[in-house]
Amino acid sequence: MCIAIPSKIIKIDGNSMATIDVEGAKRTASLLLLDDAEVGDYVIVHAGFAINKVNEEEALKTIEILRKTVSMMKTASDEKP
Amino acid sequence: MTNRYIKEYRDDSLSRKIIDGIKATSKKKIKLMEVCGTHTVSIFRSGIRSVLPENISLLSGPGCPVCVTDQREIDIFIQLSKRDDVIVATFGDLMKVPGTDSSLIKERANGKDIRIVYSAMDAVEIAKKTPDKNVVFFGVGFETTAPTIAASILTAEKEGIKNFYVFSAHKLVPPALNALMNMDGVNIDGFILPGHVSVVIGTNAYRQFFNEFRIPCAIAGFEPADILQGILALIEQIESQKPYLVNTYKRVVSSDGNKKAMQIMLDVFDITDASWRGIGLIPESGLRIKEKFKEYNAEEKFVFSIPASQPIKGCECGKILTGLITPPECPLYKKTCTPEDPVGPCMVSTEGTCAAFYRYSS
């Protein structure tokens, strides 16, 4: 089961283990599968491992494109008889 | 506190607008398939099926790792759990999967030492704390999970742990897509590709599949707006007859994926042929522990004598997870097969199509 919620890294110890915050719940995750990660980064966690960082720029861009696309579509569908 | 990556994607007004977009665009009668258990659950839980126009059917493909695990592999897990010198460590959803003559949950009731873990690293910890027992972890899962298990083997090696073993039943998604497209009777107009498998393997890993079949493909995330965005992308391709391989989950999926995770996976495992429930043998669709790491390979350490594994009588999981039939068409569904007393794996796993149908369909 994949956990879709991005988790925030709040602490990293010397052994590539991070303490993460998942919507208020504290858990641990291994950072062994990431090249770099820092406190404050949002990561996707699967089976106890961070598998990628969330790309903030892309996250915001997607929302913007989505809003723009669907508002255009809505206009198009509204215009149909 | 809810972080903004989630908040935006859970915005109902955004989802409603995408649904309007889908309704305005979609004309053809089509079947879309997702290949990810988390998509299955999210689609049912959010009620996406009920808000889509009737001409769009959503099918669940072979995306639930427990469901696609071959019966023989399940029987091997159960046989291993019966040994007194073994502690079995497993993800929880394997516990109830019926083998030919038992299940892990029954063996635990019989007093066998079977532990549910959240991560393969937990199994390494158990091995460290109980040096007089052999700890065997059941490696079930796709490309998202396999690197985590590879990392646990590397950790055991680094820490000199000699009583940790993995039975690898891992499966790879792109070869299964190929196999599905070549199956008789399978008729799919577009694929919603898995979010977190794609985080690891990247968009380009589907390129060969897409180039061969030219079928619309969209990688999607797991929030309702993410899935709807994926569906909208597929419908646009289908209606315009211009298939693409698109990534609508760019905030975590890149073209090349997580190269470090892939490297770790391929350092520890060789790609091999694998048997899938419902599909059969698929070339180069599984992972075997490399010779270099054979001291961690449960298949090297233990001898199995598995009599011919029997398919579960009357169970139609195989047809369900290839989209040939839906759960209500299985004669056992809701009669002898329920989440409390499951007959087949698609009802056992919370990610299974039958379990999702049972829980969320009226």
Side-chain angles (χ1 to χ4, degrees):
Chain A
M1 184 80 180
C2 300
I3 302 168
I5 306 161
S7 310
K8 189 178 184 179
I9 298 178
I10 52 178
K11 205 176 95 186
I12 299 175
D13 77 12
N15 211 12
S16 287
M17 284 304 285
T19 305
I20 53 167
D21 180 312
V22 196
E23 293 198 317
K26 304 265 184 301
R27 288 192 146 189
T28 55
S30 166
L31 302 177
L32 284 173
L33 300 179
L34 295 185
D35 275 325
D36 61 319
E38 291 171 16
V39 169
D41 285 342
Y42 278 91
V43 289
I44 296 291
V45 175
H46 180 83
F49 285 78
I51 56 166
N52 215 354
K53 290 199 283 189
V54 180
N55 182 326
E56 183 176 353
E57 201 184 321
E58 287 293 350
L60 300 177
K61 214 195 288 175
T62 304
I63 288 287
E64 202 183 315
I65 292 169
L66 208 47
R67 286 194 186 285
K68 223 179 268 176
T69 312
V70 293
S71 67
M72 276 165 62
M73 285 184 154
K74 186 69 174 59
T75 315
S77 65
D78 288 347
E79 281 168 2
K80 280 177 191 157
Chain B
M1 198 176 73
T2 306
N3 66 64
R4 60 179 166 164
Y5 302 118
I6 287 296
K7 214 171 133 193
E8 295 274 10
Y9 289 92
R10 285 188 185 163
D11 177 357
D12 280 354
S13 66
L14 181 62
S15 289
R16 271 198 294 274
K17 283 179 186 167
I18 306 173
I19 294 163
D20 286 344
I22 290 171
K23 286 179 176 165
T25 315
S26 181
K27 306 277 183 290
K28 292 177 184 162
K29 193 170 164 57
I30 54 167
K31 287 181 181 170
L32 306 179
M33 178 177 270
E34 40 77 10
V35 195
C36 167
T38 310
H39 276 152
T40 308
V41 173
S42 187
I43 285 169
F44 276 97
R45 188 186 288 153
S46 62
I48 285 177
R49 281 167 176 262
S50 61
V51 296
L52 290 179
E54 280 182 7
N55 58 313
I56 304 171
S57 300
L58 296 183
L59 300 172
S60 299
C64 153
V66 168
C67 307
V68 301
T69 301
D70 189 49
Q71 195 65 36
R72 185 173 181 274
E73 290 167 335
I74 302 283
D75 285 337
I76 290 173
F77 296 166
I78 294 166
Q79 189 171 85
L80 274 171
S81 76
K82 292 178 180 177
R83 295 178 63 110
D84 290 331
D85 59 341
V86 162
I87 297 174
V88 154
T90 175
F91 294 134
D93 49 2
L94 272 174
M95 290 297 289
K96 283 190 184 175
V97 180
T100 301
D101 62 3
S102 185
S103 68
L104 292 176
I105 205 159
K106 282 183 190 158
E107 292 308 320
R108 191 159 75 170
N110 289 339
K112 301 302 175 195
D113 197 345
I114 300 170
R115 318 236 186 132
I116 296 172
V117 294
Y118 162 67
S119 161
M121 290 299 234
D122 299 341
V124 176
E125 279 302 308
I126 295 170
K128 210 192 282 186
K129 286 178 188 156
T130 46
D132 57 327
K133 290 278 179 102
N134 299 305
V135 175
V136 183
F137 182 80
F138 294 156
V140 166
F142 300 120
E143 292 94 328
T144 328
T145 313
T148 73
I149 288 151
S152 75
I153 291 176
L154 294 177
T155 301
E157 183 190 42
K158 194 174 153 200
E159 297 192 11
I161 297 167
K162 302 286 185 198
N163 59 327
F164 173 71
Y165 305 91
V166 170
F167 185 97
S168 173
H170 297 290
K171 308 271 187 284
L172 305 174
V173 170
L177 298 175
N178 266 295
L180 257 184
M181 291 299 288
N182 287 323
M183 276 179 79
D184 284 343
V186 171
N187 181 14
I188 299 155
D189 299 291
F191 281 104
I192 303 167
L193 296 175
H196 290 170
V197 164
S198 305
V199 165
V200 173
I201 69 178
T203 313
N204 288 340
Y206 303 100
R207 191 68 60 192
Q208 199 183 346
F209 164 73
F210 175 78
N211 287 343
E212 184 172 347
F213 295 99
R214 309 299 293 179
I215 182 168
C217 288
I219 296 169
F222 298 110
E223 297 299 333
D226 283 316
I227 295 171
L228 287 166
Q229 188 190 0
I231 292 172
L232 177 58
L234 291 175
I235 286 165
E236 286 171 333
Q237 296 176 44
I238 292 166
E239 294 296 336
S240 65
Q241 296 181 319
K242 287 180 186 154
Y244 292 102
L245 167 58
V246 295
N247 175 11
T248 66
Y249 195 29
K250 282 191 178 162
R251 62 190 186 277
V252 284
V253 175
S254 63
S255 301
D256 295 329
N258 180 342
K259 286 185 185 172
K260 186 172 182 188
M262 284 295 283
Q263 190 58 55
I264 286 175
M265 181 177 98
L266 295 173
D267 280 348
V268 173
F269 296 109
D270 284 323
I271 294 175
T272 184
D273 300 348
S275 285
W276 294 55
R277 187 190 299 273
I279 305 177
L281 190 76
I282 305 178
E284 298 184 359
S285 70
L287 295 172
R288 175 179 55 206
I289 296 172
K290 275 189 190 299
E291 181 70 16
K292 189 180 162 197
F293 295 99
K294 70 176 181 186
E295 61 186 294
Y296 303 98
N297 188 347
E299 290 179 87
E300 297 275 348
K301 167 80 179 172
F302 304 100
V303 177
F304 315 113
S305 57
I306 302 295
S309 293
Q310 298 298 320
I312 305 163
K313 214 177 165 189
C315 170
E316 297 280 21
C317 278
K319 282 186 186 165
I320 288 165
L321 53 83
T322 47
L324 291 172
I325 65 168
T326 59
E329 293 171 73
C330 172
L332 308 185
Y333 178 74
K334 269 190 175 178
K335 294 185 181 81
T336 52
C337 187
T338 63
E340 290 70 38
D341 193 12
V343 177
C346 296
M347 189 62 95
V348 174
S349 173
T350 50
E351 294 191 345
T353 314
C354 298
F357 244 88
Y358 189 95
R359 196 161 291 127
Y360 298 106
S361 296
S362 53

